[in-house]
Amino acid sequence: MKIIAVIPARYASTRFPAKLMQDLGGKTVILRTYEAAVSTNLFDDVFVVTDSDLIFDEIVSNGGKAIMSIKEHESGSDRIAEAIADLDVDIVVNVQGDEPFTEAGPLADVLSVFKNDADKKIDLASLMREITDEEEINNPNHVKVVVDQSQFALYFSRSVIPYPREKNVGVRYFQHIGIYAFRKQALLDFHSLPMKTLEASEKLEQLRYLEFGKRIKMVETTHVGIGIDTAEDLERARAMLKDI
C-alpha cells in the first residue's frame, strides 16, 4: 500500500488567528507539525494542503511539499480530497496542522487496521480514548463515539452517548480523537456527497461518512493529542519544547 500524510492548514482561525504561523521554539507551528509527520517514517510522502500563500511558502522554502487549495472548503476532508484526487495513493492520513508533537505510535495504530483488511471492508479508521470524568463526558467540545462489537463506529455526538438512564450496567464512554486514515475512494466519495441533517446539526464531518454507509473502524488508545487552539496552548507548547 502507498500511504501518505496530508496536513490541512487554514491560515484563518476563529479562536486563534494565524496560529499555524506562530513561533514555536524558532520554527513555526506548521513547520514543526510537518517535520514531526515526516520523522515518524510511516509515510511514503507528506504534504501540507493550504489556502494560504504564507503557509505554502513556509513549507516549500524549508524543503517540504505543499499543495495550494483551488476552492474554498467546508471541511478538512473536502480539502484533502481535492488535493489527493490525482495522486497515486491507497491510504491517506489526516494529520492536524496544529499538533506539532505528532507521534508515530497513534498513527501506526490507525494504519494497522488496513493491513489485514484484504476485502476492503474498512473505509476509514480513527482513534478513541476512554473517558471517566463527568465533566469530560458532558463537555460538548469532547466528541463522543459509540461502537459495535467489532469496534466499528455507530454514531458520534457532542451529547452524552449512550444516555445513562441506567447507571449500573458498566457503560464505557469514549472520546473521539481526530486522527483519521482514509482509503482514497472514501475521501473522493465524501467530496461528492451532500451534507445531510446529522452532520449539519452536530457540525461533525464524520457523520457524513456514516449517513452514506461508510464503515469507520475505531481503535482504542490512551493517546491525548496536544493541539494549539489558543494563545495559552501555544505557551504550554513552548514550555513543553524546552523540556524535550
Side-chain angles (χ1 to χ4, degrees), residues 77 90-92 94 114 123-124 180-184 187 209:
S77 286
D90 299 297
I91 304 295
V92 181
N94 178 355
F114 294 99
D123 295 297
L124 57 151
Y180 292 98
F182 309 85
R183 290 199 184 277
K184 178 181 178 180
L187 270 173
Y209 291 100

Side-chain angles (χ1 to χ4, degrees), residues 88-157:
D88 178 19
V89 60
D90 299 297
I91 304 295
V92 181
V93 176
N94 178 355
V95 175
Q96 300 297 319
D98 60 2
E99 294 204 2
F101 302 105
T102 295
E103 301 173 3
L107 296 173
D109 289 343
V110 171
L111 288 169
S112 68
V113 305
F114 294 99
K115 293 179 181 177
N116 299 315
D117 186 36
D119 296 330
K120 297 185 178 181
K121 293 182 178 180
I122 299 170
D123 295 297
L124 57 151
S126 193
L127 293 175
M128 62 183 185
R129 72 176 183 100
E130 185 173 14
I131 51 176
T132 56
D133 181 79
E134 288 282 335
E135 187 175 335
E136 284 190 295
I137 293 169
N138 287 284
N139 186 341
N141 292 318
H142 290 178
V143 176
K144 274 69 69 177
V145 59
V146 290
V147 297
D148 67 14
Q149 293 297 304
S150 299
Q151 301 291 81
F152 283 97
L154 294 171
Y155 193 68
F156 299 85
S157 183

Side-chain angles (χ1 to χ4, degrees), residues 180-192:
Y180 292 98
F182 309 85
R183 290 199 184 277
K184 178 181 178 180
Q185 191 58 52
L187 270 173
L188 298 181
D189 289 347
F190 177 95
H191 191 49
S192 67

